[in-house]
Amino acid sequence: MRIGELSRRTGTATRLLRYYEEQGLLTPQREENGYREYGEHLVDRVLQIRGLLEVGFPTRIIAELLPCLNQPREIHLQNAFPDKIALLETELARMTERIDTLTRNRDAIADYLEAIRVDAAPADVVRGPAALAEK
């Protein structure tokens, strides 16, 4: 796929995709005519990059983490003591906190929607078929 298609599918500006490539985060193939060809696997890769950037990871750390997100996993953290370990522990804690908050919010919204559906449903639907039989 071309960069415009990758941009559309990931909701990421083409300028950002080029930046990710400059930073070594994306590696498209080159066709004979010099055009970049972005493989299907890069859709997920862009979403992973964006997620890591959103929680505050710098691109230099993301470049080292990306191989760890592959299957099979590869570890490429050079000089991992102690600053990178501290950074990763801090970011892991932030991500866990965010996940917990999102989970609580998701559960609250689901409960609220369920209550709305019950209140908005016609009485016969809420009470079920037995209520109709009583009539």
Side-chain angles (χ1 to χ4, degrees), residues 57-89:
F57 277 89
T59 56
R60 65 182 170 78
I61 299 295
I62 293 172
E64 294 181 21
L65 285 176
L66 286 177
C68 301
L69 303 176
N70 292 337
Q71 295 296 332
R73 295 190 188 325
E74 302 171 26
I75 306 298
H76 290 273
L77 290 175
Q78 295 87 19
N79 304 317
F81 296 96
D83 60 331
K84 287 183 185 173
I85 290 174
L87 173 68
L88 292 174
E89 287 174 340

Side-chain angles (χ1 to χ4, degrees), residues 18-67:
R18 287 189 185 99
Y19 173 75
Y20 296 164
E21 187 178 344
E22 289 172 12
Q23 298 299 307
L25 304 177
L26 292 179
T27 308
Q29 300 295 316
R30 290 283 184 167
E31 294 184 350
E32 289 181 19
N33 60 9
Y35 287 9
R36 292 173 178 96
E37 180 66 27
Y38 295 86
E40 185 67 29
H41 69 285
L42 293 179
V43 172
D44 188 51
R45 175 55 44 105
V46 169
L47 297 175
Q48 289 174 317
I49 292 166
R50 290 185 59 184
L52 291 168
L53 286 168
E54 286 175 9
V55 297
F57 277 89
T59 56
R60 65 182 170 78
I61 299 295
I62 293 172
E64 294 181 21
L65 285 176
L66 286 177

Side-chain angles (χ1 to χ4, degrees), residues 22 57 63 83 89-90 96 100 111 134:
E22 289 172 12
F57 277 89
D83 60 331
E89 287 174 340
T90 299
T96 300
D100 291 345
D111 291 346
E134 293 173 5

Side-chain angles (χ1 to χ4, degrees), residues 68-125:
C68 301
L69 303 176
N70 292 337
Q71 295 296 332
R73 295 190 188 325
E74 302 171 26
I75 306 298
H76 290 273
L77 290 175
Q78 295 87 19
N79 304 317
F81 296 96
D83 60 331
K84 287 183 185 173
I85 290 174
L87 173 68
L88 292 174
E89 287 174 340
T90 299
E91 293 305 324
L92 180 61
R94 283 181 51 201
M95 290 171 74
T96 300
E97 185 177 311
R98 239 177 122 186
I99 290 168
D100 291 345
T101 299
L102 288 170
T103 300
R104 283 193 310 273
N105 289 344
R106 182 203 60 208
D107 293 347
I109 290 169
D111 291 346
Y112 184 70
L113 279 172
E114 182 62 27
I116 290 171
R117 287 182 183 126
V118 169
D119 288 345
D124 292 340
V125 173

